[in-house]
Amino acid sequence: MKKEYHYFFNESRDKRGKIISFLDEKKIKYSKISDCISLSIYDDDSLFFQISSLFSQSSIEPQIRCEYSKKELAEAKYLDIWLRRYSGYPQPEAIDVKNSYINYTFDITNFCTDCGSGLVQNDSFYLKKSFNIEKIRFGGVYWIYDTFFITTELRDLFIKEKFTGIEFIPVKNIRTKQIVDNIVQLKINAIFPEKLKFDTKEVINCKSCNTIKNLRKDDSEIFAPKEILKDLDKDFYLSQEWHGAGLLCCKSVLISNRVYKFFVDNKIKNINAEPIKFI
């Protein structure tokens, strides 16, 4: 595993031009967008410490991403996944809860308007269109990051593989209220038996409903106790932990090694994966 550090900053932050001069001198590639500079570097790069020191002196903080080798991913017993790309929004888009997708798709009896927790799905998701699902086959929409949508063809393969911990829910068109025939929601029902461990950058405790949301540090690995491996019998799990700031409230999605291999073998490319380390 190595870490990628991505810096994005306005040139005015480099007051004496030290950073740009160093990058030009060492012939390090960077992008310039208007007055902003974008640069990515890995922590195993020979110039990493010099570059990170220059940025630190200018109080420019990076976004950090853990990158795993194919071997690390292939050997992981379970992995945390999220999408590379999201398309569109659940419908309708109205901010008013009573007229939004929340009221269409969920029982909002215990919905917390401060942190977004308490929703219980009791109907289909409504979409304007199927966001080119035929091409990507495995997709999702903004605001609901622990919910995925797949083609009916992929659903049939999931059924053939006998993947567990999931069910398939019809998706409806917001205009016609009719079921969309080429897409279904992949609904994950199993909950991971232990809380995941990771470095936390912020803990949000809702004063209204006491829901706790943990914001993980970008560069933190994810851990779980190895003694629970013998009890893990599902291919899909949702984490116990809630994530997200504001009204965004979602869980991590965890998959088994055989699901990950299925994604690789079937060239499902709209997925990022990160190993869970059992210790």
Side-chain angles (χ1 to χ4, degrees), residues 169-184:
I169 306 294
V171 172
K172 295 179 182 178
N173 183 290
I174 188 60
R175 295 188 181 93
T176 66
K177 305 299 187 291
Q178 298 299 308
I179 291 175
V180 181
D181 61 7
N182 67 332
I183 180 174
V184 294

Side-chain angles (χ1 to χ4, degrees), residues 12 24 94 101 117 177 186 191 209 219 240:
S12 61
D24 289 339
Y101 77 94
S117 68
K177 305 299 187 291
L186 177 67
I191 302 297
C209 68
D219 61 338
Q240 294 185 24

Side-chain angles (χ1 to χ4, degrees), residues 3 29 34 38 46 60 91 126 144 148 158 160 168 208 219 226 230 236 260:
K3 296 180 180 181
K29 293 182 179 179
S34 186
S38 177
S46 60
I60 299 172
Q91 298 295 316
Y126 290 77
I144 46 172
F148 303 135
F158 275 31
K160 183 178 180 181
F168 308 102
S208 297
D219 61 338
K226 64 181 180 181
K230 66 181 186 300
F236 285 84
Y260 177 73

